[in-house]
Amino acid sequence: LRIERNRQEQRIDDERKRDQQIKNVKPISDAQLTKNEHPMDSVLLLARESLKHINETITDYTATLTRQERIGDVLTEKNTIQAKIRNELENQPMSVYVRFSEPAAVRGREVIWVAGENENKITAHEGGLLNLFRVIQPHDGFIAMMGSRYSIAETGIQRLMAKLILHALHDREFGECEVQLSEVQSAGVACQRIRVVHPFEREHFIFHIVEVDIDLQRNIPVRLASWM
């Protein structure tokens, strides 16, 4: 518990730093981005196009999510999650249901969260013999965030693309930014990989390397990887 408490305190500090960094990013039009004055401009155009497509054509979807994180010096086990997600729309709050299938220690765990409902808390229960015990917690509280960097409220392709756009706008204000575009196979489909590298560690940079793979046919992200 002491290790987890220290980890979460660091996570909260990191989140506070990220939120402050992207709080006052300068808006920029698509017309300005087409001038290609910064390496991030092409990335922003791709991300905005993907988010527009998601907002206009995708109401809800099911997905298999695979996640693995390094927390401190520990590479955690892979988590495999079956998810049902409703995107945030004008007449529909964001909703997320997840059921864990791997690793074995959390198999059968179910969590549901609806933005703005139930005081914005998650409802969860374990699998097996413990499934009679229901837990209601803040979605970003200590228990809900154990072993994870991101809360359930940040799940899904809509939230992912919106956050990536904010980070790209922030990075656009600085130099030392390398962008590489390539076509790869990812998650079993043909994708365009966006790889952003900051070659030197700076206080104003949130990540060292970020890779995003966007499905060329569906125009949605299917993989995100980031390194400090």
Side-chain angles (χ1 to χ4, degrees), residues 114-198:
V114 180
E117 298 291 332
N118 197 28
E119 299 180 337
N120 218 29
K121 295 179 179 179
I122 62 168
T123 301
H125 67 77
E126 299 293 331
L129 297 176
L130 297 177
N131 65 5
L132 296 177
F133 297 95
R134 187 173 63 170
V135 176
I136 299 176
Q137 292 285 330
H139 70 83
D140 56 355
F142 182 83
I143 294 177
M145 294 299 296
M146 288 186 70
S148 179
R149 288 183 181 272
Y150 304 100
S151 83
I152 194 171
E154 298 178 86
T155 303
I157 57 177
Q158 185 184 47
R159 291 289 173 95
L160 170 62
M161 292 309 300
K163 179 160 283 191
L164 287 174
I165 288 170
L166 284 176
H167 287 317
L169 285 170
H170 167 266
D171 284 3
R172 194 181 184 276
E173 299 180 10
F174 306 96
E176 298 181 332
C177 182
E178 301 171 3
V179 175
Q180 303 160 7
L181 301 177
S182 60
E183 293 191 8
V184 298
Q185 287 289 315
S186 184
V189 294
C191 293
Q192 181 165 60
R193 173 166 293 172
I194 303 169
R195 180 178 172 90
V196 179
V197 180
H198 300 130

Side-chain angles (χ1 to χ4, degrees), residues 2-45:
R2 183 173 63 253
I3 294 171
E4 179 66 21
R5 188 178 299 110
N6 292 338
R7 186 194 69 79
Q8 292 209 25
E9 287 175 355
Q10 182 62 52
R11 176 187 61 80
I12 292 170
D13 287 342
D14 291 343
E15 275 188 5
R16 189 178 295 115
K17 173 186 172 183
R18 289 197 299 266
D19 291 344
Q20 188 60 40
Q21 286 178 328
I22 64 178
K23 182 178 180 181
N24 298 313
V25 294
K26 299 175 183 177
I28 187 169
S29 68
D30 286 356
Q32 182 67 29
L33 292 175
T34 58
K35 297 179 181 179
N36 204 29
E37 297 173 338
H38 189 278
M40 291 300 295
D41 290 356
S42 59
V43 173
L44 275 162
L45 286 171

Side-chain angles (χ1 to χ4, degrees), residues 45-135:
L45 286 171
L46 289 170
R48 283 180 173 178
E49 182 182 350
S50 177
L51 182 58
K52 183 175 183 288
H53 169 73
I54 292 167
N55 288 337
E56 292 180 351
T57 66
I58 302 177
T59 301
D60 52 60
Y61 57 97
T62 61
T64 299
L65 308 180
T66 302
R67 180 188 69 189
Q68 188 171 28
E69 298 174 302
R70 183 178 298 279
I71 300 174
D73 295 328
V74 179
L75 185 64
T76 64
E77 292 185 86
K78 285 186 178 180
N79 278 249
T80 303
I81 304 167
Q82 307 304 317
K84 299 179 181 180
I85 299 172
R86 292 192 184 118
N87 281 340
E88 180 181 8
L89 303 173
E90 185 176 352
N91 60 347
Q92 173 177 281
M94 181 179 177
S95 308
V96 182
Y97 162 83
V98 297
R99 187 179 191 278
F100 289 76
S101 53
E102 297 293 341
V106 296
R107 185 176 298 138
R109 177 184 295 170
E110 294 179 293
V111 183
I112 191 167
W113 174 79
V114 180
E117 298 291 332
N118 197 28
E119 299 180 337
N120 218 29
K121 295 179 179 179
I122 62 168
T123 301
H125 67 77
E126 299 293 331
L129 297 176
L130 297 177
N131 65 5
L132 296 177
F133 297 95
R134 187 173 63 170
V135 176

